[in-house]
Amino acid sequence: MDQRQAVAAFAALGQEHRLRIVRALVTAGPDGLAAGVLAQEVGVAGTNLSFHVKELSHTGLIQSRREGRSVIYTATFPSLGDLIAFLMRDCCQGRPEVCAPAVEALAACLCTPGDTAHA
């Protein structure tokens, strides 16, 4: 991820509903959420959801797929990881204790398959 992509991603996340959408999709995991369920979960109307997911999709933070008549949205975990890596790339300058809290926070979310402790 380059600086231009990171700025676009952070700009998209800088809006309350879009941040809530991404957090809901991260919590949902790779199965994602149907559009109606996602709209309900974040408290926006369907038309507003479309606007917000378009912005997030444009930055690559989320993606959609069609299942029958439903649109399912999922977090794009590799892109989210790239955004975190962009922030942490030059971390600590040889002082690992500076980055330790961030590394510990990320390690805490590493659950085994089927574990829902993070939800």
Side-chain angles (χ1 to χ4, degrees):
M1 176 169 287
D2 63 25
Q3 185 167 328
R4 180 190 55 76
Q5 293 168 315
V7 167
F10 283 120
L13 292 171
Q15 200 282 338
E16 178 183 0
H17 293 303
R18 291 194 287 262
L19 181 60
R20 291 172 67 193
I21 288 167
V22 170
R23 292 191 70 190
L25 293 176
V26 167
T27 300
D31 292 337
L33 294 171
V37 173
L38 180 59
Q40 228 176 3
E41 193 159 316
V42 299
V44 297
T47 54
N48 286 344
L49 180 73
S50 295
F51 169 76
H52 293 303
V53 298
K54 183 184 97 184
E55 293 296 316
L56 292 166
S57 294
H58 180 65
T59 64
L61 295 176
I62 69 169
Q63 56 193 2
S64 64
R65 69 181 185 280
R66 190 162 283 287
E67 286 187 7
R69 296 177 66 190
S70 297
V71 176
I72 309 297
Y73 292 100
T74 56
T76 309
F77 291 98
S79 294
L80 291 168
D82 289 346
L83 185 58
I84 293 167
F86 175 83
L87 284 175
M88 303 300 290
R89 184 176 302 140
D90 300 318
C91 183
C92 55
Q93 300 295 314
R95 296 178 48 215
E97 71 277 4
V98 173
C99 295
V103 172
E104 290 169 10
L106 287 172
C109 73
L110 298 177
C111 299
T112 58
D115 183 3
T116 58
H118 67 287

